[in-house]
Amino acid sequence: MEQVVEITEAASFQVKEMMRHNEEEDSFLRVAVNGGGCSGLTYGMGFEKEQGAEDDLYEQFGIPILIAKDDAPILKGTVVDYKQSLMGGGFTIENPNAIASCGCGTSFRTAKKAGTPESC
């Protein structure tokens, strides 16, 4: 199965650290798309204990990744990275399917999916 989301080595290191810190070593990393935000869609990442019937399972750098079948077309080609700077660090998400995004950097829309925009 072709990889939908690429997790960089820097992001995988941070995810593994978070898994250890939160005692989630046996969990899956879920990468998701939710409705809302200024542009209509937002990204979500979190840990889950079980794979659902509508989830596809991928693996990168030893991390099991869940993506819902409905989210896969929206996320195809997305790169999740982790950037560290003097002001701290954080995950960055580059999605080639996003045609518009909000200044907050977490809200977007695609040509085929507008989502449910909210006021900022």
Side-chain angles (χ1 to χ4, degrees):
M1 185 180 323
E2 184 181 342
Q3 199 72 31
V4 173
V5 172
E6 176 190 342
I7 307 289
T8 67
E9 189 172 7
S12 70
F13 178 79
Q14 190 64 30
V15 168
K16 287 178 181 177
E17 283 294 310
M18 293 172 76
M19 287 176 135
R20 273 192 292 277
H21 184 264
N22 295 307
E23 298 180 356
E24 296 279 1
E25 290 96 342
D26 296 330
S27 296
F28 299 94
L29 172 67
R30 174 167 302 279
V31 180
V33 175
N34 304 305
C38 308
S39 298
L41 299 170
T42 59
Y43 300 106
M45 287 186 0
F47 300 122
E48 290 196 16
K49 293 288 185 193
E50 296 182 16
Q51 179 179 355
E54 295 300 312
D55 293 331
D56 286 329
L57 175 62
Y58 304 90
E59 186 173 321
Q60 284 189 332
F61 295 102
I63 300 170
I65 303 165
L66 295 178
I67 298 175
K69 291 179 188 337
D70 289 347
D71 292 348
I74 299 168
L75 292 171
K76 186 169 178 57
T78 295
V79 177
V80 177
D81 197 4
Y82 187 84
K83 305 279 188 193
Q84 188 72 41
S85 72
L86 293 174
M87 299 297 289
F91 289 98
T92 62
I93 299 174
E94 296 291 328
N95 185 341
N97 305 302
I99 61 167
S101 61
C102 189
C104 64
T106 61
S107 183
F108 70 103
R109 68 182 162 95
T110 67
K112 295 181 179 178
K113 184 96 171 164
T116 52
E118 302 168 353
S119 58
C120 290

